[in-house]
Amino acid sequence: MNFSNKCSRLFGRFASHKFFPPLQRLINAIYVKIFHIELAEFAPSASYPSLNALFTRALCIPRSINPNPIVLISPCDSLITQIGKSEDKQALQIKGMAYSIEELLGQKLDREFYYVNFYLSPRDYHRYHAPCDMQIYEVRYFSGELLPVNMPSLHKNQHLFARNERVVVVAKTPSHKWLYFVAVGALNVGSIVMHFESKIQSNAKSHNISYTYSTPLSVKKGEELGMFKMGSTIVLFMEQMLLDVPINQKVKFAQDIGTYA
């Protein structure tokens, strides 16, 4: 285990610890102030029994989901850091820095994919949702590093997404097109949680593992898939995708971001 993984595990223990209530309320308030967290849609900061509970806060006010089946929604609150179509099975983590999609996903590909990168900062809502109706066929866990995924780190570290710990959800859209939903770990991410597969234990195992489903798991657009226990990145790959949002735009979960075939 490298230094960043050790630090992340230690921070995860701190964030999960329930301190004496007055101290916990102070810790929560300081975190909210430092990162300018808006809690209008969430419970008050003092109500969370640990810092991790604050990180993984659930929405108290539901957001409406566009019922149009071909409309793609943002899976999370985030900043869009890159959009494109792969070339020679390569995608960009940031402008000018490519990585192998096959290495990231752990499989050979016979076609190119459209992709979009969603960066979750420490201030963002940390749960992620299905961007469209999905049939899940497999989930893969890859151990790896836990390098930061902020902009300076994206510019500094080559092949960052493929080096970091990650969970890959292999699915199909209602039109039977392949979709890959990749949750990338980062520094201080104590865990990547997938609600539909409790056996996924990130930042805990030193080997890769996958789970396949003989009967695909049906997930509706907007349904909660899981959560990060701190900020990180989602990378979405689809065979067909037409996005209506630009790079460097902030998006919210449930916001319309384009269409797919």
Side-chain angles (χ1 to χ4, degrees):
M1 183 183 295
N2 62 31
F3 180 74
S4 62
N5 294 67
K6 290 179 181 178
C7 287
S8 296
R9 181 169 289 183
L10 288 173
F11 184 82
R13 290 176 182 171
F14 166 78
S16 298
H17 186 76
K18 297 179 181 179
F19 291 94
F20 184 59
L23 177 58
Q24 189 65 61
R25 289 193 291 270
L26 177 62
I27 292 171
N28 293 354
I30 291 172
Y31 183 81
V32 167
K33 184 175 182 179
I34 289 174
F35 292 105
H36 308 288
I37 297 174
E38 296 289 340
L39 291 173
E41 299 175 285
F42 306 93
S45 66
S47 66
Y48 298 101
S50 68
L51 194 55
N52 191 44
L54 175 60
F55 291 158
T56 59
R57 60 193 179 273
L59 286 164
C60 291
I61 302 174
R63 297 179 185 173
S64 60
I65 306 297
N66 192 323
N68 187 332
I70 69 166
V71 170
L72 196 67
I73 63 169
S74 173
C76 53
D77 290 9
S78 57
L79 175 72
I80 293 182
T81 57
Q82 194 59 240
I83 294 171
K85 185 177 182 180
S86 64
E87 295 183 12
D88 298 323
K89 315 302 187 301
Q90 301 272 313
L92 296 178
Q93 67 183 38
I94 206 72
K95 186 177 180 180
M97 296 184 71
Y99 65 92
S100 167
I101 301 175
E102 294 182 332
E103 183 180 358
L104 179 81
L105 301 180
Q107 73 171 79
K108 292 292 185 181
L109 299 172
D110 62 1
R111 68 202 72 188
E112 302 294 342
F113 281 81
Y114 293 89
Y115 62 91
V116 53
N117 302 347
F118 302 90
Y119 167 66
L120 291 77
S121 75
R123 69 175 295 181
D124 287 321
Y125 167 61
H126 290 76
R127 301 189 180 213
Y128 40 81
H129 303 250
C132 61
D133 290 349
M134 298 165 55
Q135 293 283 314
I136 298 174
Y137 287 79
E138 184 179 358
V139 60
R140 304 166 182 158
Y141 166 71
F142 296 92
S143 62
E145 300 177 69
L146 286 172
L147 298 170
V149 292
N150 54 28
M151 297 301 285
S153 185
L154 289 175
H155 284 286
K156 176 183 176 182
N157 294 293
Q158 295 281 348
H159 314 294
L160 192 156
F161 294 159
R163 290 166 58 184
N164 269 15
E165 180 181 56
R166 59 203 179 275
V167 176
V168 178
V169 178
V170 182
K172 281 188 175 181
T173 66
S175 56
H176 305 290
K177 301 290 187 181
W178 286 111
L179 175 158
Y180 297 91
F181 185 103
V182 186
V184 182
L187 183 68
N188 290 339
V189 176
S191 185
I192 302 171
V193 175
M194 289 292 174
H195 295 320
F196 61 87
E197 186 49 79
S198 61
K199 293 189 288 292
I200 293 291
Q201 296 290 328
S202 65
N203 200 13
K205 296 180 181 293
S206 60
H207 63 276
N208 303 336
I209 194 165
S210 66
Y211 301 98
T212 58
Y213 308 104
S214 54
T215 301
L217 307 178
S218 294
V219 178
K220 292 294 185 181
K221 179 166 64 173
E223 186 174 333
E224 189 177 311
L225 291 174
M227 58 188 174
F228 289 117
K229 295 186 177 179
M230 194 59 173
S232 196
T233 290
I234 296 291
V235 186
L236 178 65
F237 297 91
M238 299 184 73
E239 289 190 53
Q240 297 292 332
M241 180 165 53
L242 180 61
L243 294 179
D244 298 328
V245 287
I247 295 173
N248 295 325
Q249 178 169 316
K250 288 285 293 184
V251 293
K252 292 280 192 178
F253 154 61
Q255 177 181 332
D256 295 353
I257 59 172
T259 58
Y260 69 98

